[in-house]
Amino acid sequence: MSRLDSFIRRLSAQRDILNAVADEVKSLDGPVLELGLGNGRTFDHLRELFPDHRIVAFDRTVNAYGPSMPSAENLVLGEIKDTARTFIGANASLAHADIGTGYEDKDAITLTWLPEIMAGVLASGGLAVSGLPLDHPHLAVLPLPSSVKDGRYFIYRRR
């Protein structure tokens, strides 16, 4: 598969999952957390899906397209593994992380801290959506929409 096709499949999976969980997330209290703002495409989609939720985005530096930028009070800059820890206990309704690199060695390092943070920021019953698998005892795997190939993206519920 070409890198372009892989990219399209990843973004389609991300969109399909976020759309599939939207009604449930809307019924939950708590902020929505976006770990990895990037250029702001997903943040912009989250704003459309959850206009009544506070959405906090995390990234190392600002690279987002102007209209896709969160307000200053909803943007947390610095190393995500450090800054997101300050939100453990935030009782988020949804935490989304699309911070995989595609390099197994780099992603293995991310997976030493990401599952703990994702489980820690969520309220009981909150949802984690991730491009990387999250192995954590407080996260239960949920089924994917039929449009998403197994292993492409992941959904979990905080126990």
Side-chain angles (χ1 to χ4, degrees), residues 2-54:
S2 73
R3 290 186 63 222
L4 177 60
D5 285 334
S6 179
F7 177 74
I8 290 168
R9 192 170 76 173
R10 180 176 58 84
L11 290 183
S12 294
Q14 183 184 110
R15 181 205 56 216
D16 290 354
I17 289 171
L18 292 172
N19 289 349
V21 301
D23 286 341
E24 185 171 353
V25 172
K26 288 175 188 174
S27 72
L28 299 172
D29 293 326
V32 169
L33 305 182
E34 169 70 335
L35 279 63
L37 175 63
N39 66 21
R41 278 188 295 258
T42 305
F43 174 78
D44 189 54
H45 192 68
L46 292 170
R47 283 193 306 199
E48 284 189 11
L49 289 175
F50 311 114
D52 297 328
H53 279 70
R54 178 182 182 206

Side-chain angles (χ1 to χ4, degrees), residues 78-91:
E79 288 298 320
I80 295 171
K81 72 177 184 170
D82 300 323
T83 59
R85 285 188 196 285
T86 66
F87 277 71
I88 289 178
N91 292 318

Side-chain angles (χ1 to χ4, degrees), residues 29-30 90-94 119-127 157-159:
D29 293 326
N91 292 318
S93 55
L94 172 69
V121 299
L122 289 171
S124 179
L127 299 175
R157 181 181 315 285
R158 175 70 158 89
R159 295 183 174 138

Side-chain angles (χ1 to χ4, degrees), residues 129-159:
V129 175
S130 176
L132 293 172
L134 303 174
D135 183 19
H136 193 279
H138 295 299
L139 297 174
V141 177
L142 295 179
L144 297 168
S146 61
S147 62
V148 179
K149 183 180 176 188
D150 282 343
R152 168 44 71 193
Y153 231 82
F154 306 89
I155 312 171
Y156 304 87
R157 181 181 315 285
R158 175 70 158 89
R159 295 183 174 138

Side-chain angles (χ1 to χ4, degrees), residues 88-110:
I88 289 178
N91 292 318
S93 55
L94 172 69
H96 172 256
D98 183 21
I99 56 176
T101 65
Y103 294 99
E104 286 186 32
D105 56 335
K106 291 180 181 180
D107 290 344
I109 293 168
T110 301

